[in-house]
Amino acid sequence: MHWLLLGDFLSTWGYSQVLALLNLHLLQQGFELGTIGLANSVSFLTGSLLAIPAGLLSDLYGYRTGLTLSFASLGTAVWLKLYAHSPLLLCIAFGLVGAATALSSAAKTPAIATLTRTSKLPSALALCRALASVGAVGGGLTAAWLSAQSGGHDLALGVGAGIASVAFLPLLALPRDYRRVRILLFSPKRFSKPSAEMPLVPFALFCIASSCVFPFINVALAERGISTSGIGLSFAAFQAVAVLAWPLTHLLGRSLSLGLRISLVGLLIACGWLCFMGPLHIWWLGWLVWHVCIGTGYSFFYARFGGADSNQGSFFALLGLLQMAAAAVGSWCGGMVAQIGAFYTFVLAGALFLLALLLIEVQGSVRRQ
């Protein structure tokens, strides 16, 4: 398990370090913002198209193969981005990022579930997210420090790309898990389970709610009068406080249902808290609660799915597609609501979290009957 965590940490650190300065580098290379935006869309398109093949690969050849290919693809993509001198190469680089995301989505949760006892699965998932948050903060801070020391961004980009390139090496120490299984992509066994065991609709609502807020939080901060540099520091702080989700998940990990309910109730409280234009330090406390509960919520949802049965990569590929579609719907809804005011996105998110909580309660009652 520790080799997987180390590889994921290095990959997140290196890629975040490059991502912090990548757009500046691409603009300096002569790319236009429209071209960069188009290349980014290729990443999402590739990730969607390769989700199912990535899940099948993970089922046939095991999580180690899927994760190794994912991290190696990401390391290759980083170097291609830095040395791309044409829109085609840039699109290929972003396409590799999409492929890496698809492979990781299909293999990471089954890997953690296989390497961890079922009772420890929520805590293990939260620890993985916490270390990724630390890596993201470390990558951003390292990029800023190296840029300040060198007077440019070439050194920071090179170091970040180097770290991302070697992130796959710790995965080679994972136990071999080569296996051939009968692929049941739309397995009746999996999808006929009681709805309380497979809360797909509440999970979709959870993803929509979180996605309708986060893309527009910088607008909400600007409405509060926060400067541009302050917004940048705020995002680093948001990643840092997400680490608190790990000990909380560990504390509540004995009961997935209880942990999930507490996470949703905490998000409801945070949404109500954030709707009020009170003192800034009080508003920050509400945002801290939001980030911690988002982290615990994702961990408990994935632990519920991970413990369902055989943890097939094909199922988690489908789950990744569901999350991506929900994120797209949430971003669109959030954008529409943010035109009225960014703080109204918290009202919409609160309503969706409440609906998800009510559905989980109804499913639990049906199961008990």
Side-chain angles (χ1 to χ4, degrees), residues 191-254:
F191 286 97
S192 64
K193 283 183 173 291
S195 57
E197 292 184 19
M198 299 293 292
L200 291 174
V201 176
F203 176 69
L205 291 172
F206 179 87
C207 295
I208 293 172
S210 59
S211 298
C212 75
V213 168
F214 194 77
F216 306 101
I217 188 61
N218 51 356
V219 180
L221 291 173
E223 289 181 0
R224 292 302 307 261
I226 306 297
S227 64
T228 303
S229 60
I231 292 174
L233 290 174
S234 299
F235 272 79
F238 296 158
Q239 292 287 349
V241 300
V243 176
L244 297 176
W246 172 47
L248 185 59
T249 305
H250 183 74
L251 181 65
L252 300 172
R254 293 176 181 269

Side-chain angles (χ1 to χ4, degrees), residues 281-336:
H281 65 280
I282 299 297
W283 193 86
W284 281 121
L285 287 176
W287 189 238
L288 184 148
V289 173
W290 165 281
H291 260 275
V292 171
C293 290
I294 284 289
T296 58
Y298 271 115
S299 297
F300 283 118
F301 267 119
Y302 268 87
R304 178 72 68 83
F305 295 131
D309 52 43
S310 60
N311 300 308
Q312 285 188 351
S314 52
F315 171 74
F316 282 96
L318 287 172
L319 198 63
L321 279 177
L322 173 64
Q323 185 174 347
M324 190 178 301
V329 172
S331 297
W332 180 79
C333 293
M336 299 295 290

Side-chain angles (χ1 to χ4, degrees), residues 31-340:
F31 290 101
E32 298 180 354
L33 285 174
T35 303
I36 298 173
L38 176 63
N40 267 291
S41 66
V42 171
S43 173
F44 292 108
L45 177 62
T46 307
S48 300
L49 293 176
L50 294 181
I52 303 304
L56 297 177
L57 185 145
S58 177
D59 285 340
L60 289 171
Y61 298 106
Y63 61 79
R64 190 176 82 162
T65 300
L67 287 174
T68 303
L69 287 175
S70 172
F71 287 14
S73 298
L74 189 63
T76 304
V78 168
W79 287 110
L80 274 178
K81 286 181 181 182
L82 296 185
Y83 288 99
H85 295 293
S86 69
L88 178 59
L89 280 177
L90 189 62
C91 287
I92 292 174
F94 275 94
L96 279 175
V97 173
T101 302
L103 288 164
S104 179
S105 298
K108 185 183 294 184
T109 301
I112 295 174
T114 301
L115 297 169
T116 309
R117 288 183 299 173
T118 303
S119 61
K120 300 293 184 181
L121 182 56
S123 178
L125 291 168
L127 176 60
C128 188
R129 291 178 63 87
L131 287 177
S133 296
V134 173
V137 174
L141 294 178
T142 304
W145 181 75
L146 289 176
S147 298
Q149 294 295 315
S150 63
H153 50 247
D154 289 345
L155 177 61
L157 289 171
V159 172
I163 294 173
S165 298
V166 300
F168 75 94
L169 293 176
L171 302 181
L172 300 180
L174 291 174
R176 292 185 62 85
D177 62 325
Y178 177 85
R179 61 189 187 277
R180 290 193 176 277
V181 298
R182 186 162 58 97
I183 301 301
L184 295 174
L185 187 57
F186 299 100
S187 169
K189 176 184 176 182
R190 181 182 288 273
F191 286 97
S192 64
K193 283 183 173 291
S195 57
E197 292 184 19
M198 299 293 292
L200 291 174
V201 176
F203 176 69
L205 291 172
F206 179 87
C207 295
I208 293 172
S210 59
S211 298
C212 75
V213 168
F214 194 77
F216 306 101
I217 188 61
N218 51 356
V219 180
L221 291 173
E223 289 181 0
R224 292 302 307 261
I226 306 297
S227 64
T228 303
S229 60
I231 292 174
L233 290 174
S234 299
F235 272 79
F238 296 158
Q239 292 287 349
V241 300
V243 176
L244 297 176
W246 172 47
L248 185 59
T249 305
H250 183 74
L251 181 65
L252 300 172
R254 293 176 181 269
S255 173
L256 299 182
S257 298
L258 176 62
L260 196 52
R261 288 174 171 83
I262 290 177
S263 299
L264 290 171
V265 170
L267 286 166
L268 279 172
I269 294 172
C271 287
W273 199 329
L274 294 167
C275 287
F276 295 99
M277 299 287 286
L280 188 58
H281 65 280
I282 299 297
W283 193 86
W284 281 121
L285 287 176
W287 189 238
L288 184 148
V289 173
W290 165 281
H291 260 275
V292 171
C293 290
I294 284 289
T296 58
Y298 271 115
S299 297
F300 283 118
F301 267 119
Y302 268 87
R304 178 72 68 83
F305 295 131
D309 52 43
S310 60
N311 300 308
Q312 285 188 351
S314 52
F315 171 74
F316 282 96
L318 287 172
L319 198 63
L321 279 177
L322 173 64
Q323 185 174 347
M324 190 178 301
V329 172
S331 297
W332 180 79
C333 293
M336 299 295 290
V337 173
Q339 294 179 19
I340 306 172

